[in-house]
Amino acid sequence: MPKLGTIVASIPQPVLGGAGLVMFGMVAATGIKILARVDYGPRHNLLIIAISIAVGMIPLVAPTFFAQVPRWLAPLVNSGITLAAISAVLRNALFNGGGSDTDAEPDEHEGRIVSV
């Protein structure tokens, strides 16, 4: 697709930079919008988000932090997005993995609450 490549190459760098800023700004705004709907009260949701954002920022604030990891692991630890996503999924499974309190129903035989 050389013609498409020529068109893209003819776009000035400041225009591409502006488009990139808008695109990543929209992604960030959408993320904030999603986080605005999260119920932070029950369980450890605020802690999960805070730690995941902090872990995701490690490659930005300390680029040599993972300098000693094996080469095969480098693509995972050099990406803040990947680190934050893995951290959020693992912490959510660890802290909230047992199901929610709304999933509990009274046991008909003994009148106690059991998880479904």
Side-chain angles (χ1 to χ4, degrees):
M1 302 181 65
K3 291 189 184 218
L4 182 61
T6 304
I7 292 171
V8 172
S10 69
I11 300 173
Q13 289 292 333
V15 173
L16 288 176
L21 262 169
V22 171
M23 182 184 68
F24 290 116
M26 291 296 285
V27 169
T30 302
I32 292 168
K33 182 179 171 184
I34 291 170
L35 289 176
R37 291 184 280 175
V38 173
D39 184 14
Y40 294 105
R43 308 276 179 151
H44 307 285
N45 292 339
L46 187 60
L47 182 65
I48 292 168
I49 291 169
I51 292 174
S52 297
I53 290 173
V55 167
M57 292 194 57
I58 290 174
L60 295 173
V61 297
T64 60
F65 188 81
F66 295 112
Q68 302 299 319
V69 298
R71 284 185 77 131
W72 62 270
L73 198 57
L76 295 176
V77 298
N78 289 331
S79 169
I81 294 172
T82 304
L83 279 175
I86 291 170
S87 173
V89 168
L90 292 177
R91 289 180 200 294
N92 189 46
L94 177 70
F95 291 134
N96 296 334
S100 68
D101 295 333
T102 59
D103 291 342
E105 292 181 357
D107 185 12
E108 296 176 359
H109 301 292
E110 299 178 20
R112 60 189 167 112
I113 303 292
V114 293
S115 182
V116 180

